[in-house]
């Protein structure tokens, strides 16, 4: 693989600033000054047609006058002049442009037209753009500061990505006061071309970046955004602030779920799936960065606190309760060991109060004992300056003690001058220090969230692989029939038919339109029965008195039918016929009422929620939200987050509920919304769960005609592409499977590359390589099926190794071509495996709408060149490179 296509933005050899100026109040002046102050020693070219020189540099009237080829052009001229400057960039062969200027998409119709004109010119010349309306880009390590922020930016290992220039400057200002540096700063601005996803891709493999901080306001392309987040979060911590938290993204009038599940909790569910930690302030952003940068790993969230003062210990415990961190329970062995080394009046519990006269030795022993306790996942050490305690000495002991353990040790030295020296020691150690204990507890909670979200990140469920196959075709036909009648809302009977098609237990429902029909239906079902209004106009039946329970005779059925019919017609004179349903009265003395809902988020697509149900559902406001596709692990995690989780356990006279049945329902709902893009909203309320199983007693579905472009394009997360699995038999009789790669293939993939001969490894990677690094294993096995694909050829035959070959492609930035790579095990060559893998890749790329399939091959790799020739590729020489050729196949033919 050559250098990343965004490289010229971050490591340019030559930069032109169009609109550079000596007017101190101007953006062009600050850009030029920042570049000079950053020490950019390579070609720096100010462009201004009114000046001969600017800040001691020769100025040029336009880009054509600049004598050198340019890697990067920064534009800071008024918006109407920008299309002309971008055209000049194209004519000069510049492919990387930052547009600082405002006055585009954010300014209404004229601005949008101007923005489109710029993009059309850029596409014509293959130019990529950051901006418009942005602060710019900085790379302190490369002496690049192409921003108009105030002053220099310190070099460091954190990347900062911000949609807002103002927030970007606020974060940079705060970081300066804390002496925090950055590897890269990118202000995205209008993101008309390059968006978050592409910059995240670059940072994911950037060796200078160990963690990524983000400020997000809105997302244009959910798939690309989540895909970039996942790629980065697999390799390094990503911490994100999102503004506009309380804006309801889903305004669904008919749906209980829509009233409770807005854009913000769907956003939370999305980024949790991407392995990212969300924070809510700039202070928290850096707290999380500080603790995640140390590469700590926690299994759970059980925190122990060691303190020399009771008050801060209590405050920290309160904070732990607020943010959902568990206070660890000390083991009997730890309590006995602490009794041996602490004064008799120590707290005998967590927080471990080692008293105001604590010496450094007391701190050291307490820390040592707590680090050995298996019930503890992390430790916060608090020190308040007291006469008997030496803060610097204690800091040295804590730093030393922390070295022997993988568990995170956080510190909070509270106070002023007396503790400053200790704080300075922490700054250069593995122990993350925080100014107050509460902020330290928050940081530990981010660490626990990060661990949990990293597990979620590795989950790649198939839409239908865990349960019996549903009747997708039947369900779709019912929905299409409803839509063809000009309705969006399904009747209860129709909604239950859809649930039944996906193996969700429903009680029998008989549709009736007269008192006589109702009497016959009730006698058929057996008493007691329930009578319900069944009309699309009345979504919430109980709100209009449209539900009558526990009816025990034919006379009662008739009486209730006529009473409800009369009340409806009186209130709504335009209604001539009142439709109802008769259902068996579902009785379960031990039943718990839950609600499952689905809403269609405008950004992230379908979102599933579960929580306490019944008539008080809006008041209870209990819901956990997740994005499909889901698997059993994710569903269990989702249920655990609800108040309903405790309700499902045994209590008083109630036996424990059948949680597996609930898990199965949620898995089936996940499959339903994955396979049926027509479903806009769904409520099952109540879903009754008892020790025997589940029953969907009432259901509502709202649908619309689907206009999706391809399978699962209505979803932000692409499921495991089950439909691409193929089975073949080799000429020697061995059965093989060719399937998309999965995260759990990591060990197999590492072993496969290890077994390759040095020659085969050289052919594949074009460099001498012994083993895959842990980062490469992650990158190769945890892929985004939407914009890349990797197929492994595997067998269970004992005469051969498990993995026989692997082929992969990655969609190029142009969006219509892919770059491929292929390798087959040395002892499996000439068996047709490479041909089968290559054909599978070609078919998949073509089905994705790709136009060109290309790759670079070593000129001495004769077997590969023979294979691609046989498959109709053209072979092209690369200018100035004798060792590598380019092979291309046009997929449009």
């Amino acid at each position: 693989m050559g250098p990343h296509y965004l490289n010229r933005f971050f490591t340019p050899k030559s930069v032109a600033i169009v609109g550079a100026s000596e007017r101190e109040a101007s953006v062009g002046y600050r850009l030029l000054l920042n570049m000079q102050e950053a020490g950019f020693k390579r070609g720096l070219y100010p462009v201004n047609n009114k000046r001969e020189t600017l800040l001691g540099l020769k100025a040029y009237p336009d880009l054509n006058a600049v004598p050198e080829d340019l890697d990067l052009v920064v534009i800071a001229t008024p918006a109407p002049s920008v299309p002309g400057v971008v055209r000049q960039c194209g004519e000069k062969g510049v492919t990387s442009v930052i547009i600082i200027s405002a006055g585009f998409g954010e300014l209404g119709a004229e601005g949008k037209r101007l923005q489109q004109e710029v993009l059309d010119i850029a596409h014509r010349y293959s130019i990529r753009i950051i901006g418009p309306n942005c602060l710019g880009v900085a790379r302190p390590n490369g002496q690049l500061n192409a921003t108009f922020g105030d002053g220099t930016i310190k070099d460091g290992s954190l990347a900062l990505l911000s949609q807002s220039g103002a927030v970007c400057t606020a974060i940079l200002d705060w970081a300066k006061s804390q002496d925090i540096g950055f590897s890269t700063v990118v202000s995205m601005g209008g993101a008309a071309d390059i968006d978050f996803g592409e910059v995240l891709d670059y940072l994911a493999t950037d060796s200078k970046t160990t963690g990524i901080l983000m400020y997000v306001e809105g997302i244009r392309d959910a798939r690309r955004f989540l895909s970039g987040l996942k790629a980065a979060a697999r390799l390094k911590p990503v911490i994100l602030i999102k503004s506009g938290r309380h804006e309801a993204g889903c305004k669904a009038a008919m749906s209980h779920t829509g009233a409770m599940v807005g854009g913000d909790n769907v956003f939370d569910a999305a980024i949790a799936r991407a392995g990212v930690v969300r924070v809510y302030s700039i202070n928290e952003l850096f707290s999380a960065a500080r603790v995640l940068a140390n590469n700590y790993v926690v299994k759970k969230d059980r925190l122990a606190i060691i303190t020399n003062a009771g008050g801060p210990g209590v405050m920290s415990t309160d904070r732990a309760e607020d943010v959902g961190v568990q206070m660890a329970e000390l083991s009997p062995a730890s309590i006995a060991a602490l009794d041996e080394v602490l004064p008799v009046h120590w707290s005998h519990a967590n927080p471990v109060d080692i008293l105001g006269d604590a010496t450094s030795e007391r701190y050291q022993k307490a820390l040592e004992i707590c680090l050995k306790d298996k019930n503890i996942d992390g430790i916060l050490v608090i020190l308040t300056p007291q006469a008997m305690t030496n803060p610097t000495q204690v800091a040295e002991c804590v730093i030393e003690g922390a070295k022997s353990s993988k568990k995170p040790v956080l510190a909070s030295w509270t106070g002023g001058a007396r503790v400053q020296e200790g704080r300075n020691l922490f700054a250069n150690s593995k122990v993350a220090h925080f100014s107050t204990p509460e902020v330290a507890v928050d940081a530990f909670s981010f660490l626990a969230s990060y661990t949990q979200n990293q597990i979620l990140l590795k989950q790649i469920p198939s839409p239908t692989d865990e349960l019996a196959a549903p009747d997708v075709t039947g369900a779709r036909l019912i929905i299409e029939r409803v839509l063809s009648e000009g309705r969006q809302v399904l009747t209860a009977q129709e909604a239950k038919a859809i649930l039944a098609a996906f193996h969700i237990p429903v009680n029998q429902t008989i549709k009736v339109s007269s008192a006589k029909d109702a009497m016959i239906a009730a006698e058929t079902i057996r008493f007691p029965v329930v009578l319900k209004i069944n009309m699309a106009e009345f979504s919430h039946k109980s709100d209009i008195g449209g539900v009558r329970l526990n009816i025990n005779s034919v006379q009662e059925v008739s009486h209730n039918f006529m009473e409800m019919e009369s009340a409806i017609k009186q209130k709504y004179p335009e209604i001539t016929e009142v439709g109802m349903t008769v259902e068996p009265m579902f009785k379960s003395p031990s039943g718990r009422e839950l609600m499952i809902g689905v809403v269609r988020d405008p950004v992230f697509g379908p979102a599933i929620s579960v929580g306490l149900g019944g008539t008080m559902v809006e008041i209870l406001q209990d819901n956990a939200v997740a994005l499909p596709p889901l698997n059993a692990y994710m569903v269990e995690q989702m249920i655990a987050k609800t108040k309903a989780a405790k309700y499902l356990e045994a209590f008083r006279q109630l036996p424990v509920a059948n949680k597996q049945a609930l898990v199965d329902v949620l898995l089936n709902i996940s499959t339903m919304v994955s396979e049926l893009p027509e479903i806009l909203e769904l409520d099952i309320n109540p879903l009754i769960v008892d020790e025997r199983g589940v029953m969907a007693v009432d259901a509502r579905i709202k649908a619309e005609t689907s206009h999706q472009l391809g399978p699962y394009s209505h979803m932000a997360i692409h499921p495991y592409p089950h439909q691409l699995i193929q089975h073949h038999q080799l000429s020697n009789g061995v059965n093989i499977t060719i399937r998309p790669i999965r995260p759990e293939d990591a060990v197999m993939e590492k072993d496969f590359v290890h077994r390759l001969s040095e020659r085969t490894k050289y052919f594949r990677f074009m460099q001498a390589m012994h083993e895959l690094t842990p980062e490469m294993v992650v990158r190769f096995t945890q892929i985004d099926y939407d914009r890349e694909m990797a197929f492994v050829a595997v067998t269970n035959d004992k005469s051969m190794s498990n993995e026989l070959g692997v082929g992969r492609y990655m969609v190029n930035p142009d969006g219509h071509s892919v770059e491929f790579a292929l390798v087959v095990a040395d002892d499996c060559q000439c068996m047709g495996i490479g041909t089968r893998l290559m054909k599978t890749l070609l078919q998949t790329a073509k089905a994705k709408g790709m136009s060109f399939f290309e790759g670079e091959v070593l000129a001495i790799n004769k077997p590969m060149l023979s294979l691609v020739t046989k498959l109709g590729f053209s072979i092209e020489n690369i200018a100035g490179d004798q060792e590598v050729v380019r092979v291309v196949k046009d997929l449009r033919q």
Side-chain angles (χ1 to χ4, degrees), residues 259-272:
M260 299 190 317
V261 179
D264 200 55
N265 39 19
V266 177
F267 183 86
D268 274 345
I271 62 162

Side-chain angles (χ1 to χ4, degrees), residues 47-321:
V47 175
N48 183 323
N49 60 8
K50 295 190 177 73
R51 303 297 299 264
E52 294 291 315
T53 62
L54 285 167
L55 299 184
L57 293 171
K58 177 175 167 50
Y60 296 86
D62 58 29
L63 286 172
N64 294 322
V66 175
E68 192 187 344
D69 287 342
L70 292 167
D71 282 347
L72 177 65
V73 170
V74 184
I75 303 174
T77 58
S81 66
V82 171
V85 179
V86 173
R87 190 174 284 105
Q88 274 187 35
C89 290
E91 288 162 358
K92 195 167 171 63
V94 177
T95 55
S96 304
V97 173
I98 299 171
I99 302 176
I100 305 286
S101 323
F104 292 91
E106 77 280 6
L107 277 192
E110 179 52 29
K112 285 191 176 73
R113 188 202 60 73
L114 200 58
Q115 182 165 301
Q116 194 52 53
E117 187 185 345
V118 168
L119 289 175
D120 291 345
I121 296 164
H123 291 156
R124 201 172 311 137
Y125 290 104
S126 301
I127 294 170
R128 300 309 308 274
I129 293 171
I130 288 178
N133 190 17
C134 71
L135 184 77
V137 168
R139 183 84 165 171
N141 178 266
Q143 289 79 48
L144 177 77
N145 184 359
T147 74
F148 63 94
D150 191 10
T152 55
I153 300 169
K154 182 179 155 72
D155 184 26
S157 60
L158 291 173
L160 171 61
L161 226 61
S162 176
Q163 225 161 352
S164 155
V167 171
C168 198
T169 52
I171 292 173
L172 290 173
D173 198 44
W174 194 95
K176 198 177 287 183
S177 72
Q178 304 290 310
D179 202 34
I180 292 168
F182 294 92
S183 64
T184 315
V185 176
V186 185
S187 160
M188 301 297 298
D193 177 32
I194 291 170
D195 61 11
F196 276 121
E198 292 181 82
V199 180
L200 284 163
D201 273 351
Y202 176 83
L203 295 172
T205 52
D206 175 35
S207 59
K208 302 271 188 296
T209 300
T210 59
I212 300 167
L213 312 182
M214 295 177 66
Y215 172 81
V216 177
E217 286 172 348
I219 292 132
R220 194 174 68 236
D221 182 341
R223 270 268 174 103
R224 184 93 208 205
F225 174 71
L226 285 184
S227 168
L229 274 186
K230 284 177 165 185
R234 285 181 185 119
L235 300 171
K236 50 198 72 167
V238 180
I239 306 147
L240 176 151
I241 299 183
K242 178 180 182 289
S243 63
R245 293 195 295 127
H246 300 293
E247 182 187 333
C250 312
K251 296 188 171 64
M254 76 151 251
S255 164
H256 278 302
T257 312
M260 299 190 317
V261 179
D264 200 55
N265 39 19
V266 177
F267 183 86
D268 274 345
I271 62 162
R273 278 293 288 276
V276 172
V277 174
R278 180 175 181 182
V279 297
Y280 297 94
S281 70
I282 292 175
N283 204 354
E284 286 183 351
L285 192 70
F286 285 104
S287 296
R290 207 172 286 148
V291 73
L292 290 173
N294 284 338
N295 298 321
Y296 292 131
V297 176
V298 296
K299 287 194 175 73
K300 291 186 180 169
D301 62 350
R302 299 165 302 177
L303 179 67
I305 295 169
I306 299 170
T307 177
N308 67 345
V314 173
M315 287 159 68
S316 306
T317 305
D318 286 347
R319 185 63 189 158
E321 177 75 22

Side-chain angles (χ1 to χ4, degrees), residues 223 600 604-606 673-677 708 710-716:
R223 270 268 174 103
R600 180 68 64 88
F604 293 104
V673 297
S674 300
E675 299 297 327
L676 296 176
Q708 66 164 5
Y712 312 119
S713 61
H714 64 300
M715 299 162 71

